[in-house]
Structure formats: C-alpha cells, structure tokens
Amino acid sequence: MQTLFINIKELLQVREEHIDKVAGSDMSILPKIDNAFLLIENNLIADFGSMENCPILPNANIIDATGRVILPTWVDSHTHIVYAGNRIQEFVDRINGLTYEEIANRGGGILNSSKKLNETSEEEIYEQSKVRLEEIMQQGTGALEIKSGYGLTVEGELKMLRVIKRLKENYPIAIKATFLGAHAFPLTYKENHSAYIDLIINEMLPKIASENLADYIDAFLETGYFSVEETIKIMEAGKKYGLEPKIHVNQFTAIDGIKACVENGALSVDHLEIVTDEDIEVLKNSKTMPVALPSCSYFISIPYTPARRMLNAGLPLALATDYNPGTTPSGNMNFVVATACIKMKMTPEEAINAATINGAYAMGISNTHGSITKGKKANILLTQPLTSYYQLPYSFGTNLIDKVIIEGKFI
C-alpha cells in the first residue's frame, strides 16, 4: 500500500542522511522543502522531494496537502503515564500556598500515587493508562518512554512494568520502558535507605530482567530523595542487567548529579531546571542528552531549564512532557513546544528539533524515528492549513493537527 501526499506547503525535518541528534547552533536549522511530496510505503518513508520531482503513482492513495505542513510525530522521551487515580487535591493545595516539598512531607506527592497504585488492580491501571495513551497519540505523539516508580514495592513495580509491556504490545506507537524503583523512599524505609536500595538491586532488578520488562533504569537524584552515591549504586546495578541510565536530576538543586550521570554513561539527564556552569562543561562532548520538561515548570511554578545558556554553549537539548499525576498532568507535546518557545526563548526550529530528532536520541530510537528520512517509520503529523509552521507554537491554545499517521496508519 502506497500513500502519496502532494502539494505539501512545508515538509519539515527532512534529513537525506541519518543523524543521531543536533546540538548548539545546529539546532536553529530545521531542514524543510516547500511545495513538497512525501511517499509512504509499507509503513516506512519511501521518498520525498519537491513537487516538480513528484512520481506518478496511479495506484497510490493520494492526499492533497495544499496549504498544510507535514512534520515527524513528536517523540516524548520522559513520561509517567501509567498510574492510578489523580492528585487533584494537591493541585489545590499548591494554589493555597503549599510547596512541592511540603506536600511530599505530609504523605503527598509520589507516596500518594504509590498508595493508590498498590491499591489498584493491574487491569484497572491498564484501562486508565490506555485512555491517556490514546489521547496523546491523537495529539501527535508517535513514540514515548514510560517509567515505573509509583509501585515502590516489588509487586507494585512489576505491575507497572507489565502494564507498560501490554500497552507496547497493543498499540502501534513505539514505547520504551524505564524502571524507576528509585523514585522515592517508601515510609517503611525512610530511615533505612540502604535496605530499600538493596531491595531494588537484589529483588526488583533480577525479576524485571527475567521478564524482560525494562529498557532503561532511572532514579530521582535530588536533595531529599536519592543522593549522588545512592544513584551511582543504582546505575551500576542496572547496567549489569543491560539497563542504560536515564536520570531525573537538577530539578530543585545542583549537587554534582549531572557529573555522576555522565561518568556512568547516562543516555539522558532530565529536568535540569537548575544548571550550573560546571554542569554545562561536564555535558559538553558527552553522549548524554539533556532533556527539559517545560510543562512541569509551568504547572508547579518552578524555574525553566536555561535553554539559551545551554544551546549557546553548544549543547543539544530535547523536550518532553513529564506526564504524571502530580506535577504535569498533561502529555500534550504541542503545548511543550509552544512553552519552550514562549518561556525558554527557544526558536520554533530549535523546539521542533528538540521534540523530534533529539527526543528520539533520548529514547534510543533515532535510527527509526524523529525525522523525515528514507527507511524511517512513517510517523507524521498533517496540520490544518497554516500560514507557516511558526503558527504551531504561536497559536498555542489551538489544536492545529488534522491527521496523525503512526507506522503508516491513520490514528
């Protein structure tokens, strides 16, 4: 089956040659073809170019994209969409003046979600999570990473990862699973950190590995959560089972966590609302992708990742949602891209690069996703008629996506 899009106003993120990621000043370059065609065949991108070179294919399904923009689907490399219930009361508590830390200290936050998750059946968690997944697919996300981390018990973590596996099996979207047992210390282990870390390393990890339930390992490396030394121990243990680190770090404080992550081969370091000059130097020439989560900053009113400083220093940057019940109850990547432009002063070119090709790198799937390249998955967005693609972040409250195609199929 061939699908041929013709008369595309702007075809974005076209890459003749495969690249893993873009960094620094290169992020301001978004390759595009005006008045373009795009051919999809067997769920892959088969060909593209300007309309003057468009092939004649009488048996293809032809779609006239006059006035419309086509770009790769969003790649969301950091989510927690598998969870039970919600944390609406905490939303109101923050409005009434309580901080994230104060809510956590009185049993809210991650421990609140953990309690709900352990009280909810695996089937019900799956049913709740698939609704969220279907919504973000409609909003243009064509690949995402999903973390565990609300179980904080052997069975709870396994339950979450099994739900993620089931979502992966039942939906066409590319999904990577990350084991985040080190999300918070359960109350039982609040005064005995080493015992909980032993539980993660000696009980959770072997069972997760035996069922092949995770691709990556994560920890909340932050003051009051997991220390640098504790996180290093968890990263080292994960790597023994083939789980590459993707770490939460520098959300509230900078405690040399980024240095530890880079030294331990982390694929990504995520949050980075607080970034020091030393952190930037450590990230230079590393394989580690910095990931910003601007809708988290928006929702809980904390600083935004200093994108301009990082890009001016030559670093790459990816964008993701952090979709979770407490600090970012939204998986809308369109809003993330717009917020990065509005609040982080990223250009539309930089933001789209960050949400596509660099997001794919942060998920370990840049060979198959993140750009319009021959042989990559046919994961694309077709917009409504637009003045230009700049309208995507400009009209931040409007749904400008007309159709979503994932693996060559209309969603």
Side-chain angles (χ1 to χ4, degrees):
M1 178 63 184
Q2 293 178 315
T3 300
L4 178 65
F5 295 87
I6 61 172
N7 303 320
I8 304 163
K9 181 181 175 74
E10 296 173 307
L11 180 63
L12 305 183
Q13 193 59 283
V14 290
R15 306 273 178 181
E16 288 284 356
E17 301 295 328
H18 168 75
I19 61 165
D20 285 332
K21 60 184 176 182
V22 286
S25 59
D26 288 341
M27 285 194 67
S28 66
I29 302 165
L30 183 65
K32 75 181 180 98
I33 301 172
D34 295 331
N35 191 27
F37 76 89
L38 173 67
L39 177 64
I40 291 173
E41 189 172 1
N42 298 326
N43 305 334
L44 300 174
I45 293 166
D47 199 8
F48 56 84
S50 67
M51 276 304 294
E52 62 190 32
N53 299 316
C54 184
I56 298 170
L57 300 168
N59 297 321
N61 174 29
I62 296 175
I63 297 172
D64 190 342
T66 298
R68 299 165 190 267
V69 174
I70 288 181
L71 66 156
T73 50
W74 308 123
V75 179
D76 190 352
S77 66
H78 182 127
T79 84
H80 307 252
I81 74 166
V82 170
Y83 60 86
N86 60 63
R87 295 196 339 233
I88 291 172
Q89 185 56 51
E90 294 178 15
F91 169 65
V92 178
D93 289 342
R94 273 198 306 278
I95 293 169
N96 286 323
L98 290 182
T99 66
Y100 181 89
E101 292 84 355
E102 287 168 339
I103 290 167
N105 288 337
R106 66 180 203 175
I110 295 163
L111 296 183
N112 184 3
S113 286
S114 176
K115 183 173 183 293
K116 286 175 179 166
L117 184 119
N118 283 295
E119 292 170 350
T120 305
S121 72
E122 186 172 318
E123 182 62 30
E124 177 57 25
I125 294 165
Y126 174 80
E127 290 298 321
Q128 291 182 27
S129 300
K130 78 174 190 179
V131 172
R132 300 179 201 116
L133 180 61
E134 289 170 6
E135 179 186 42
I136 66 170
M137 289 168 68
Q138 292 285 352
Q139 292 170 342
T141 294
L144 81 160
E145 178 255 24
I146 309 175
K147 302 177 189 294
S148 68
Y150 293 129
L152 307 184
T153 62
V154 176
E155 279 312 309
E157 290 297 306
L158 288 170
K159 181 162 64 172
M160 289 188 75
L161 289 164
R162 287 172 185 143
V163 168
I164 297 169
K165 184 177 183 180
R166 193 168 157 197
L167 291 170
K168 187 175 183 177
E169 291 168 349
N170 292 343
Y171 288 87
I173 187 169
I175 293 174
K176 292 284 188 177
T178 297
F179 168 50
L180 179 56
H183 201 186
F185 287 97
L187 289 176
T188 315
Y189 295 96
K190 195 170 184 182
E191 305 303 325
N192 192 353
H193 287 194
S194 61
Y196 184 61
I197 291 168
D198 286 345
L199 186 73
I200 290 171
I201 293 171
N202 299 322
E203 293 193 45
M204 293 184 189
L205 267 173
K207 289 184 178 178
I208 289 162
S210 70
E211 292 189 40
N212 195 27
L213 291 175
D215 303 291
Y216 300 110
I217 192 161
D218 195 350
F220 190 8
L221 198 176
E222 184 55 74
T223 302
Y225 290 86
F226 289 80
S227 70
V228 173
E229 293 73 21
E230 290 166 341
T231 303
I232 290 171
K233 196 171 181 181
I234 288 159
M235 288 191 285
E236 289 174 344
K239 285 190 287 187
K240 289 176 183 173
Y241 291 96
L243 305 183
E244 203 172 359
K246 279 172 61 68
I247 306 294
H248 287 64
V249 64
N250 283 47
Q251 182 174 4
F252 302 113
T253 57
I255 52 174
D256 287 333
I258 289 175
K259 182 172 184 284
C261 294
V262 169
E263 288 174 349
N264 281 273
L267 177 61
S268 71
V269 284
D270 302 29
H271 271 294
L272 313 186
E273 288 87 348
I274 309 298
V275 179
T276 67
D277 291 341
E278 291 76 16
D279 292 328
I280 288 173
E281 288 303 313
V282 164
L283 284 165
K284 283 182 181 177
N285 303 313
S286 77
K287 70 160 202 170
T288 303
M289 175 64 71
V291 180
L293 311 170
S295 48
C296 176
S297 297
Y298 172 86
F299 191 72
I300 63 171
S301 300
I302 60 175
Y304 287 87
T305 302
R308 288 264 54 92
R309 271 178 59 215
M310 296 169 73
L311 298 183
N312 290 344
L315 296 183
L317 189 63
L319 291 169
T321 65
D322 194 24
Y323 193 173
N324 75 81
T327 63
T328 323
S330 167
N332 191 331
M333 281 292 288
N334 305 285
F335 179 74
V336 166
V337 168
T339 305
C341 295
I342 296 162
K343 294 295 186 181
M344 293 164 58
K345 304 304 180 191
M346 294 179 74
T347 65
E349 291 86 353
E350 290 168 339
I352 292 171
N353 274 322
T356 54
I357 190 72
N358 282 4
Y361 180 91
M363 263 185 71
I365 59 168
S366 53
N367 284 330
T368 53
H369 293 74
S371 67
I372 304 294
T373 302
K374 291 175 189 176
K376 283 196 175 185
K377 297 289 187 182
N379 282 22
I380 61 169
L381 304 178
L382 176 67
T383 72
Q384 306 283 356
L386 300 181
T387 305
S388 87
Y389 69 89
Y390 287 174
Q391 199 172 338
L392 290 168
Y394 169 77
S395 299
F396 70 92
T398 305
N399 178 16
L400 295 174
I401 296 171
D402 183 26
K403 291 181 173 61
V404 179
I405 296 96
I406 296 178
E407 304 241 342
K409 297 179 178 62
F410 287 86
I411 299 300

